[in-house]
Amino acid sequence: MSRSRLAVLVSTIVVALGVLAGLGALWLNPARAAVGPMPGEALILPADARFVMGFDMKRFTASPFYARYATERGMEPEALRELEEKTGLNPARDVEQIVVAGTPGPGQVGLVLVTGRFDLYKLGRTLETEHKARGYNHAGATLYAFKEEGPDAVALAFLDETALLFGRRDRVEAATASRTKGETPLKKNAALLGLVEKVRPGSTFWMVGDQSLLASLPTSVPAPGASADGASVNLPALKSVTVTGDLDPQVSLAVTGEAADEAAARNLADVVRGFVALVSLQAQQKPELKQLASAVSVATEQNRVLVSARIPYEMIDALKGKAKAGTPDPVK
């Protein structure tokens, strides 16, 4: 082989290795790796979030819950309902996962990451031709600002054909810029991310909140069976809370609260058991409540309180039937 041909071959191999290395860095970058049930793309969500919650839309739409109650009012998550109203996306067809990060409180809009398969051209044309939003470029991405002004202004970012970002405009722009720079702000919130890592992948929905989220919760509640001006029960402070749930073959809910120590965990577990027992006492007038109380279990594990519920759909239908039967007719 001539020297020139050898040089060309070596150059080709070097270029090929460089391309492979670049692709490997792009797709195998730890910043893109999933964290528990959360897709790696969600790491661009804000570091100051006090909660993170996820929703597996494919599992939800395939569940008996969706088949039974999807058309009933209030069954659709608020963030998803707002996104559907503004963009015309069909959640059951277009969306795979939803991740929301933010802070609780009136008027607060969490930053929403939506993954799935999106026709960006068609979606953009719909927004523009129906005059729902104004498109512009920001940090290398296409954003659409809706007509709201001031602190309530919201925007939608097209990250790529598989990911959209929706929420308050300033937050969307900041997260989009972080993505362009290769930054992962949510990684800075080690406490919250540590809770996400412990969530079992495959849950239909999940939520984690750290101590700052729980600081706004009440420190006491009325004692079981007490009147409005009666005794109250002090609630031990929680360091974190984790909620996971599934909807097939029944509604399954698991809540884990981390208390300061084992004594606080036992105290809180006793409070929860007291309320479950109160529900059982109502079973003479409402037999369906006896089944509901028996579906809930409470346990402790070191400094953690574990509450789980397994509710068959037949029980939900019975409770819904009682609620409808007790609704007075409107005044004519």
Side-chain angles (χ1 to χ4, degrees):
M1 180 181 295
S2 67
R3 184 173 300 177
S4 59
R5 290 182 179 179
L6 180 60
V8 171
L9 177 60
V10 171
S11 299
T12 302
I13 294 175
V14 170
V15 171
L17 290 175
V19 171
L20 291 175
L23 291 174
L26 178 63
W27 296 109
L28 302 179
N29 190 332
R32 284 180 170 265
V35 179
M38 187 181 74
E41 192 70 271
L43 292 172
I44 65 171
L45 295 174
D48 62 354
R50 295 170 62 187
F51 72 86
V52 180
M53 61 187 298
F55 202 78
D56 189 319
M57 197 64 197
K58 294 302 182 184
R59 288 179 179 272
F60 176 63
T61 55
S63 70
F65 187 95
Y66 186 82
R68 288 172 180 249
Y69 312 123
T71 59
E72 297 194 12
R73 184 178 180 182
M75 289 299 176
E76 188 176 51
E78 183 178 353
L80 189 61
R81 177 185 56 77
E82 186 176 3
L83 181 65
E84 183 178 2
E85 288 178 355
K86 290 184 178 297
T87 65
L89 285 174
N90 184 324
R93 181 194 63 212
D94 303 320
V95 177
E96 294 180 359
Q97 289 191 70
I98 304 169
V99 180
V100 184
T103 58
Q108 294 290 339
V109 179
L111 197 56
V112 184
L113 176 77
V114 183
T115 65
R117 294 290 175 182
F118 309 110
D119 186 334
L120 299 185
Y121 175 78
K122 182 179 179 181
L123 182 57
R125 289 290 297 169
T126 299
L127 294 174
E128 291 176 354
T129 55
E130 296 183 6
H131 305 289
K132 291 183 176 181
R134 174 182 58 84
Y136 63 102
N137 292 324
H138 178 79
T142 301
L143 272 66
Y144 285 89
F146 294 89
K147 293 182 179 180
E148 297 92 338
E149 298 294 339
D152 295 330
V154 295
L156 174 70
F158 292 175
L159 302 182
D160 54 38
E161 291 81 2
T162 64
L164 306 175
L165 194 62
F166 177 74
R168 212 172 68 186
R169 182 174 174 178
D170 57 343
R171 291 277 187 164
V172 170
E173 291 181 349
T176 302
S178 294
R179 183 178 185 271
T180 301
K181 298 174 184 177
E183 299 172 346
T184 51
L186 192 57
K187 274 191 171 182
K188 297 178 182 178
N189 194 329
L192 203 58
L193 211 59
L195 294 173
V196 177
E197 289 175 342
K198 297 177 182 178
V199 176
R200 175 180 58 84
S203 300
T204 303
F205 57 90
W206 55 270
M207 189 276 291
V208 299
D210 62 13
Q211 193 169 16
S212 62
L213 167 67
L214 302 170
S216 60
L217 294 180
T219 58
S220 63
V221 294
S227 61
D229 57 351
S232 62
V233 177
N234 292 326
L235 298 176
L238 286 175
K239 297 169 64 178
S240 67
V241 64
T242 301
V243 180
T244 60
D246 289 298
L247 301 173
D248 193 5
Q250 60 189 349
V251 176
S252 302
L253 187 68
V255 182
T256 300
E258 183 182 1
D261 50 41
E262 293 187 28
R266 289 194 297 268
N267 186 10
L268 183 56
D270 289 340
V271 172
V272 177
R273 291 190 186 100
F275 283 101
V276 173
L278 179 62
V279 173
S280 298
L281 291 177
Q282 304 295 322
Q284 293 181 354
Q285 291 79 24
K286 301 178 180 180
E288 65 275 7
L289 292 181
K290 184 176 181 180
Q291 291 181 306
L292 181 60
S294 63
V296 180
S297 64
V298 185
T300 59
E301 185 179 272
Q302 297 180 347
N303 67 326
R304 297 187 301 163
V305 181
L306 312 175
V307 181
S308 62
R310 302 288 184 270
I311 306 175
Y313 287 103
E314 292 75 16
M315 186 188 305
I316 297 176
D317 290 338
L319 292 170
K320 282 168 53 62
K322 290 289 183 180
K324 289 180 179 180
T327 302
D329 292 334
V331 178
K332 297 183 181 179

